[in-house]
Amino acid sequence: MHRFFITRVFFLTLGVFAQDVGVGSPAEPGISAQSSVIQRVEIVARQGSTELRRAASFAKQIYGREELDRYGDTNALDVMRRLPGVNVDSGGPRMRGLGSGYTQILINGDPAPPGFNLDQLSPSQIERIEVIKAATAEQSAQAVAGSINVILKETSRRSLSSLRLGLASGKDRPLANVNYSISESVGPFNMALPVSLFEWNREIRNTVDRKMAGSDGQTAVSEQLGKINSWGWGYNVAPRFNYKVSDEQTIALATFFQKGYWNNRTDYTNRAVLGNPIFDDNAIQNGYWENRRGNLTWINRFSEDQRIEIKAGVQQSRSAFDLRNLRVGATQLQTAGSNQDDAITQAGKYSQLLGSAHTLTAGWDLENRERLERRTTTNGAGIALLPIFEGQAFEAQMRRQAYYIQDEWEISPQWQLNLGLRNERISSESKNAALPVTNVSSVLSPLAHVTYKFDPKSRDMVRASLTRSYKAAGLNALLARPIVNGAYTNTSQTNTYLAPDRIGNPTLTPELATGLDIAYENYLSNDGIFSVGIFHRNLTNVVRNLTELRNVSWASAPRWITQPQNFSDATTSGLEFELRGRASDLMPQLMGNAKALNLRSSLSFYRSSIAALPGPNNRLDGQQPWSANLGFDQRISGLPLSVGGNLSITPGYDTRQTAEQYFKRSSTKGIDLFAMMPLSPTMSIRAAASAGVQQFGPPNGSTQTLLSNGDYILTDRYAKPQLNITLDMRL
């Protein structure tokens, strides 16, 4: 930033000097008056992550190439699990300890399509990641915890190309990944083409201990020692094209293609401790997924004060799977199916500068989505498990319409106000005659963000946000199609509380949240930051999976059923700290000479309670009491070598799910280390290792579901440390 400022002053000084010569001074000998025409010099500088964060009109954290490249990660989820206030669990990244669905995932500012796999997205294809703490009018308000916006690689005005070759440890052999990126610029045309090829082969050791009713209805205790092998390969391609029609008009085409093939095999060694237990079957699973996406954007700047942006997009997702439960080597149960999802989106916004202080923006966001699902479950003899439902095509249509208006008001050099109002309506309708599903939800979201800078240089500021957000149920949660538990496929018998059937709920209504966020940010020298923030959310119509014994149409005996239901109201609050910078700036008295050492740390505390459940531990699903991250990187004096590491910690905690059911989770620790050495000005090699984490899921540790009568299921998962080596080249 300082270099940019000095350079700008330098060129401005030259410009003033040139003006003085051309206008106020006689021309030098041999130079005509016409040759003294003033030339316009335009200096373009790409703002860094810290400058973008400081200039934002609402609270968000921004992470660019340095964070994306530091550990040589092979997938985006590994990057996200080290970000302050973000943890990765089953279902993807989560903010503020809240479960899946409370965090909105955006791709270039638009909601990620169904089936989009962040765990198969290479960081080399990402320009930056934005962690947005509160909902804004321009983006969907389905962001109770916040939003994670993944900005894919952008075009460049220069010709650039890079190649990353990687090897990672696998179960039986090293695993390869290749990432290539090229950017070209020819006149008004710019293009970028990032390509990623990857494979995986991991093993997770799984231990399952149970105490519950066995095959004879009497108490049984069992232990299963399992190995889960996961392997596959895939690719990502994300071409982007920009065409500058004129100084006022630009057309951009952003596309994304992703495809992968996956396989899983689970093998158990069973041990009966007491009674006649029922064990999980061995399993063989395979399938593929595919995503295609294209967005066309037209931008027209009518003047310096007026701007319009129109977008249109298409999305396609395809997947298929084959799941087989094996018992004594023979197929006990087979589920095969396919999913097809097609969407058309259209959005636009118009911005107008009113006077010198107000920027008024009005826009719309429309989406029409068609989904087709097929699934058939048969027993070992090939007979349909539920003849009424199996093989039926489930077709659903979802329509989303959103309209918003926003005013960004520069009250003074110290005060900024961002006011917005967004109305979002989502309607879904099933076309399956046997199980029709119709659901309509509409949410009006007033949003206000205010920033106060203690000085115009923006070194210290306070941000506050008052928002209304929501969480809408997905189509799978609304679909009232039953899924029979694989351990109790005989529907003439009753299953158990800990092995229930599943069914959706077409009557679900959105969870609504009124939120308050307040944060203090202090921007230090050398891109250092200190911030402390608090948040609070009041939630209504909280959805929770409840398990009940019912008489159902697909079974002749009562069955235990788990179903999502609008359960209760709830509150959640938190306190979040972040501190990063050079050690010599943060602790000048202790480490005044450690100018090559950078430190990063974050600490978050969370509390929540559900009104319908007595305490203690009546928290929201999956919300840990606190989490911490501590990282560093250091350039080794006298050597062309940089090293660093990161430690993430989450404590063990209990969650009261219902009056009869508890959920327990053990503490988790993740460790990452890296070393990077430049081999030449255009080439570097990086080695990294991680322990305590799993590639696509939750960290190592145990979870336990415990009933008030003493029955339980305890699952412990462990994956070996992972190693990877990457070679980066600028071509």
Side-chain angles (χ1 to χ4, degrees):
M1 185 67 183
H2 295 300
R3 289 182 181 176
F4 170 68
F5 179 76
I6 293 171
T7 305
R8 185 178 180 185
V9 171
F10 175 72
F11 276 96
L12 287 175
T13 304
L14 288 180
V16 172
F17 180 74
Q19 283 186 337
D20 289 342
V21 171
V23 179
S25 302
E28 292 183 8
I31 301 179
S32 66
Q34 289 196 353
S35 67
S36 301
V37 174
I38 301 171
Q39 299 294 320
R40 178 184 175 186
V41 179
E42 181 180 359
I43 303 171
V44 179
R46 186 183 294 270
Q47 287 185 305
S49 300
T50 304
E51 287 75 23
L52 289 171
R53 174 175 176 171
R54 185 191 303 181
S57 60
F58 49 87
K60 63 180 176 179
Q61 302 159 324
I62 301 177
Y63 304 94
R65 285 258 59 88
E66 183 179 4
E67 193 72 33
L68 292 166
D69 292 338
R70 182 175 288 123
Y71 291 90
D73 296 309
T74 58
N75 73 84
L77 284 185
D78 280 343
V79 177
M80 293 181 184
R81 62 180 171 80
R82 290 188 295 267
L83 301 182
V86 178
N87 65 291
V88 173
D89 209 319
S90 300
R94 303 178 177 187
M95 294 175 60
R96 293 171 165 172
L98 294 176
S100 178
Y102 289 103
T103 299
Q104 179 176 225
I105 305 300
L106 304 172
I107 306 297
N108 294 333
D110 299 319
F116 188 87
N117 287 280
L118 280 171
D119 53 11
Q120 307 297 350
L121 178 63
S122 170
S124 65
Q125 293 188 312
I126 301 174
E127 188 77 19
R128 65 183 182 274
I129 296 175
E130 300 177 348
V131 180
I132 304 169
K133 296 300 185 71
T136 63
E138 285 192 49
Q139 296 169 344
S140 175
Q142 296 191 68
V144 174
S147 301
I148 298 177
N149 188 18
V150 178
I151 307 297
L152 299 178
K153 206 81 169 182
E154 298 175 351
T155 61
S156 173
R157 297 185 181 182
R158 297 184 297 145
S159 295
L160 301 169
S161 61
S162 63
L163 176 66
R164 171 177 291 180
L165 303 175
L167 287 176
S169 60
K171 177 179 178 293
D172 302 314
R173 59 175 177 82
L175 305 169
N177 60 84
V178 179
N179 295 277
Y180 175 71
S181 179
I182 183 171
S183 296
E184 291 288 348
S185 179
V186 180
F189 179 78
N190 301 302
M191 64 84 67
L193 178 63
V195 180
S196 176
L197 301 172
F198 53 89
E199 61 175 343
W200 69 94
N201 189 351
R202 301 293 185 192
E203 181 179 271
I204 297 174
R205 298 176 186 174
N206 194 29
T207 301
V208 182
D209 295 325
R210 284 188 182 86
K211 178 187 175 186
M212 65 182 198
S215 58
D216 57 1
Q218 302 300 311
T219 298
V221 178
S222 64
E223 179 184 66
Q224 291 188 276
L225 303 177
K227 292 182 179 180
I228 303 174
N229 293 312
S230 173
W231 69 97
W233 68 277
Y235 67 83
N236 296 312
V237 183
R240 295 176 69 109
F241 308 92
N242 281 0
Y243 180 71
K244 189 175 182 180
V245 181
S246 64
D247 289 340
E248 294 77 27
Q249 295 187 64
T250 302
I251 296 176
L253 176 64
T255 61
F256 185 85
F257 304 92
Q258 181 185 69
K259 189 169 186 177
Y261 298 87
W262 57 270
N263 301 269
N264 288 317
R265 183 181 180 99
T266 304
D267 293 292
Y268 285 111
T269 299
N270 302 330
R271 187 169 75 94
V273 178
L274 176 68
N276 299 298
I278 294 177
F279 296 100
D280 284 341
D281 294 324
N282 294 342
I284 296 178
Q285 306 173 353
N286 60 75
Y288 83 93
W289 81 92
E290 184 176 13
N291 288 300
R292 298 185 289 268
R293 181 178 185 179
N295 284 288
L296 184 66
T297 303
W298 172 68
I299 299 174
N300 187 18
R301 295 175 178 85
F302 300 105
S303 66
E304 293 184 358
D305 300 339
Q306 291 178 296
R307 182 179 184 272
I308 191 169
E309 179 179 319
I310 305 293
K311 296 192 295 184
V314 294
Q315 300 174 7
Q316 290 184 329
S317 297
R318 302 288 186 271
S319 65
F321 56 89
D322 189 312
L323 317 177
R324 296 170 184 253
N325 288 20
L326 304 179
R327 193 175 300 174
V328 197
T331 298
Q332 172 70 18
L333 200 68
Q334 180 179 5
T335 300
S338 62
N339 300 314
Q340 177 178 318
D341 196 282
D342 299 306
I344 298 175
T345 60
Q346 203 280 310
K349 63 180 179 179
Y350 173 80
S351 299
Q352 170 75 57
L353 180 64
L354 302 178
S356 60
H358 291 271
T359 300
L360 188 66
T361 302
W364 66 93
D365 189 359
L366 310 176
E367 179 181 11
N368 187 61
R369 184 179 300 278
E370 299 274 356
R371 184 172 180 84
L372 175 64
E373 295 183 5
R374 294 183 184 274
R375 185 179 69 227
T376 301
T377 301
T378 57
N379 61 20
I383 300 174
L385 189 62
L386 300 177
I388 300 176
F389 304 103
E390 304 302 351
Q392 285 193 26
F394 164 64
E395 297 181 65
Q397 183 178 64
M398 188 274 288
R399 293 186 178 91
R400 180 169 62 92
Q401 300 105 23
Y403 303 92
Y404 63 89
I405 187 169
Q406 177 178 282
D407 180 19
E408 295 183 62
W409 183 11
E410 192 82 23
I411 301 174
S412 71
Q414 291 178 277
W415 285 95
Q416 286 179 293
L417 183 63
N418 186 317
L419 298 175
L421 184 66
R422 182 183 181 96
N423 181 262
E424 193 158 344
R425 183 179 186 272
I426 297 178
S427 62
S428 60
E429 180 180 359
S430 168
K431 298 180 181 179
N432 186 300
L435 292 170
V437 174
T438 301
N439 192 286
V440 178
S441 61
S442 181
V443 178
L444 182 67
S445 301
L447 307 154
H449 308 272
V450 61
T451 300
Y452 172 71
K453 303 172 184 177
F454 290 92
D455 65 272
K457 294 182 180 179
S458 308
R459 290 291 181 183
D460 298 78
M461 63 181 67
V462 173
R463 301 184 188 270
S465 300
L466 183 63
T467 58
R468 173 101 166 180
S469 55
Y470 75 102
K471 174 189 172 187
L475 286 176
N476 287 334
L478 298 172
L479 177 61
R481 180 171 57 189
I483 299 177
V484 173
N485 190 282
Y488 291 86
T489 57
N490 186 347
T491 56
S492 64
Q493 297 178 356
T494 300
N495 50 352
T496 70
Y497 191 107
L498 292 174
D501 299 341
R502 288 182 293 153
I503 191 172
N505 184 355
T507 66
L508 287 176
T509 59
E511 299 181 40
L512 304 178
T514 301
L516 174 66
D517 296 77
I518 302 175
Y520 166 75
E521 298 177 358
N522 179 213
Y523 291 86
L524 311 173
S525 57
N526 300 307
D527 283 341
I529 292 177
F530 168 71
S531 70
V532 56
I534 60 173
F535 72 89
H536 180 79
R537 299 284 187 274
N538 283 330
L539 296 94
T540 60
N541 298 323
V542 171
V543 174
R544 176 157 283 185
N545 289 320
L546 301 181
T547 303
E548 300 170 332
L549 185 64
R550 299 183 188 174
N551 293 313
V552 293
S553 62
W554 65 86
S556 56
R559 301 283 289 188
W560 287 97
I561 306 297
T562 184
Q563 183 184 45
Q565 298 181 28
N566 292 109
F567 180 60
S568 175
D569 296 342
T571 61
T572 179
S573 304
L575 176 64
E576 301 173 315
F577 296 91
E578 181 187 7
L579 177 64
R580 75 167 190 254
R582 285 187 183 177
S584 57
D585 297 332
L586 301 178
M587 296 175 286
Q589 295 181 345
L590 295 177
M591 298 185 176
N593 296 323
K595 298 187 181 299
L597 175 62
N598 295 297
L599 300 177
R600 299 175 300 279
S601 62
S602 65
L603 178 63
S604 303
F605 299 93
Y606 306 117
R607 293 292 183 271
S608 60
S609 63
I610 294 181
L613 292 175
N617 302 318
N618 56 339
R619 67 181 81 245
L620 289 168
D621 283 342
Q623 188 179 57
Q624 65 268 28
W626 59 269
S627 63
N629 272 283
L630 179 62
F632 78 96
D633 60 82
Q634 166 81 52
R635 294 193 308 276
I636 304 300
S637 177
L639 294 175
L641 180 67
S642 296
V643 298
N646 188 85
L647 171 65
S648 59
I649 303 174
T650 300
Y653 60 93
D654 298 344
T655 303
R656 180 183 287 275
Q657 295 289 112
T658 65
E660 297 83 21
Q661 182 178 341
Y662 253 90
F663 178 82
K664 295 176 175 288
R665 183 151 197 170
S666 68
S667 61
T668 61
K669 298 180 181 66
I671 300 174
D672 297 270
L673 300 170
F674 81 91
M676 190 276 288
M677 177 182 291
L679 303 178
S680 72
T682 60
M683 184 181 300
S684 64
I685 189 169
R686 186 185 313 261
S690 60
V693 299
Q694 298 174 23
Q695 189 176 27
F696 303 141
N700 290 348
S702 64
T703 59
Q704 182 180 20
T705 301
L706 178 66
L707 301 184
S708 57
N709 66 0
D711 288 356
Y712 64 85
I713 296 180
L714 173 64
T715 302
D716 186 83
R717 293 165 60 93
Y718 170 79
K720 294 190 297 185
Q722 302 170 24
L723 306 173
N724 67 75
I725 298 175
T726 56
L727 180 66
D728 292 291
M729 294 175 282
R730 293 199 307 271
L731 305 177

